[in-house]
Amino acid sequence: MTAEIIDGKAIAEQIRGEVAAQVSRRRQAGEPPPGLATVLVGDNPASLSYVRGKQKACREVGIDSQGFHLAEDTRQEVLEKLLIDLNADPKVNGILVQLPLPSGLDEEKALTAISIEKDIDGFHPVNVGRLAMKRRDPMFVPCTPSGVMVLLQKTGVKISGARAVVIGRSNLVGMPTALLLVRENATVTICHSRTENLPEIVRQADLLVAAIGKPKFVRGDWIKPGAIVIDVGINRVEDAGAKNGYRLVGDVDFEEARQVAGAITPVPGGVGPMTIAMLLKNTLKAAEMASIKK
Ligand code: GUN
C-alpha cells in the first residue's frame, strides 16, 4: 500500500482564501481590518522565523499585524504591561505571545494576562480549561491542534469511535490535540517519554498524531496498515547539500510510514501551513466577535 499524501499546503491555502474573502467583505461593509499583535521576546532564530511567517500571512489576507520585539532580558512586569495595553487597544483583536519565552519569564503569568477575547492562540488557562470540560466551549482553540483536526476531517476519516494515539503531551500541541479528539468521540491514548512499549501502543492506532520533536522517531513498522498519520514534527537535520545546510523532517520516518499508512502528512507541507491558516481564522473570529459587541 502507498499512502495518500495529505496536502496541508493546499488545504491551508483554501482556508487563507476564505479568510481573505471574509476580510474583504468586512472592509466593504465599513468594518476596520482585523488586527493581530505579535509579541516576541528575545532572538530565538526559529521563533523569529515563525513570527515573520505569521506577519507575512496576515498581510496577504488583509489582517493588520503589529509586531512587538522585546529584548531577551525584558522583565516580567514590562511584558505584562504591554499585554494589558494591547488588551485595551480596540485596533488589536488578537494577541500572540510567541513561545517559548526566554528562561526567567513566567509563561503562565504572561498568557493569563491576555484577555480571553483576544487569546487567538487559545493558551489562556480559561480557554484550555473549557476545552477540557464537557459542554463548555473555549473562545479559541490552539492553532496547531485545530489544524490537525481539519486535516483529519478533510481526509474523510471517521473520528468518532476510532482509536487515536497522540505521542506528546505538550501544552501547545499534544494535550489540546488529545482533548479535541476526545471531543470528537475518539478513544484516545496519550503517550510520552515515559510510555512503555510505545511501538505496541502505536500499532493499535487508527489515527496517529506524532508531536514529540524527535526526527524520524516513529518507524514504519509501528504503524497499523491503513492508519491515518499526522506528523506535527518540524525538525532541522543537517544536510550539507541543502541551501541552508539543513532540511526539515518530521517525527515520523516518512519513507517507511508511507508504505504502510492509509494517509500521511508530509513535512514540510503538512501540519505547518495549517497552523498559520488557523491563526488567521482565529484572528478573524476575534474581530467578528468584537464587531458584534460594539
Ligand atoms: N511556539 C510554537 N508554536 C507556537 C504557536 O502555535 N503559538 C505560539 N504563540 N508560540 C508557538
Side-chain angles (χ1 to χ4, degrees):
M1 176 190 267
T2 308
E4 172 197 342
I5 309 297
I6 304 169
D7 189 346
K9 201 163 162 233
I11 297 167
E13 200 54 56
Q14 189 192 340
I15 294 171
R16 286 157 72 136
E18 287 162 10
V19 172
Q22 189 63 26
V23 169
S24 150
R25 273 197 291 277
R26 278 176 59 85
R27 198 175 46 231
Q28 277 155 21
E31 294 281 351
L36 175 71
T38 61
V39 179
L40 171 65
V41 188
D43 299 300
N44 176 315
S47 291
L48 265 165
S49 140
Y50 287 139
V51 168
R52 281 199 200 111
K54 290 171 187 181
Q55 292 171 336
K56 177 166 173 276
C58 281
R59 278 195 299 279
E60 285 167 1
V61 298
I63 292 176
D64 256 359
S65 84
Q66 291 184 61
F68 295 85
H69 191 174
L70 308 181
E72 183 88 24
D73 61 356
T74 298
R75 283 183 302 117
Q76 184 79 26
E77 305 81 78
V78 174
L79 173 60
E80 286 179 28
K81 167 78 168 57
L82 171 63
L83 298 173
I84 289 162
D85 288 347
L86 294 172
N87 284 339
D89 184 341
K91 291 199 291 299
V92 172
N93 300 116
I95 303 171
L96 179 149
V97 175
Q98 186 63 30
L99 301 177
L101 288 170
S103 58
L105 286 174
D106 185 330
E107 176 187 300
E108 192 190 353
K109 273 187 78 198
L111 295 177
T112 309
I114 299 173
S115 138
I116 61 167
E117 286 85 11
K118 298 194 177 188
D119 176 36
I120 42 68
D121 253 332
F123 294 155
H124 190 292
V126 169
N127 277 326
V128 180
R130 288 185 186 172
L131 184 65
M133 295 169 85
K134 274 181 105 167
R135 290 183 293 279
R136 302 280 193 282
D137 285 312
M139 209 79 99
F140 297 99
V141 174
C143 303
T144 303
S146 54
V148 167
M149 296 307 287
V150 171
L151 291 178
L152 287 174
Q153 281 147 6
K154 295 277 185 186
T155 60
V157 48
K158 188 165 154 287
I159 301 174
S160 182
R163 273 185 170 259
V165 169
V166 179
I167 318 180
R169 54 178 157 178
S170 70
N171 292 338
L172 261 60
V173 183
M175 194 56 83
T177 303
L179 293 171
L180 284 169
L181 286 162
V182 170
R183 286 172 84 96
E184 293 297 324
N185 304 311
T187 301
V188 182
T189 303
I190 304 172
C191 300
H192 44 74
S193 52
R194 306 285 174 86
T195 297
E196 291 177 4
N197 305 324
L198 180 61
E200 203 175 293
I201 296 170
V202 172
R203 266 181 218 117
Q204 296 173 17
D206 303 309
L207 313 176
L208 173 66
V209 179
I212 24 178
K214 289 189 181 162
K216 299 190 179 186
F217 181 74
V218 176
R219 306 300 304 262
D221 66 354
W222 298 16
I223 290 166
K224 178 176 173 176
I228 312 301
V229 178
I230 308 290
D231 189 351
V232 182
I234 303 178
N235 307 291
R236 289 183 181 190
V237 295
E238 272 184 39
D239 182 349
K243 196 168 58 169
N244 317 320
Y246 69 85
R247 68 193 158 86
L248 298 177
V249 301
D251 290 348
V252 177
D253 187 317
F254 182 80
E255 287 310 323
E256 289 182 7
R258 71 183 302 188
Q259 309 297 326
V260 191
I264 185 168
T265 58
V267 177
V271 175
M274 294 299 293
T275 297
I276 295 194
M278 301 318 282
L279 171 70
L280 302 176
K281 217 173 160 178
N282 279 353
T283 306
L284 171 63
K285 179 182 171 188
E288 304 270 79
M289 288 193 310
S291 301
I292 292 167
K293 264 182 131 183
K294 265 198 300 195

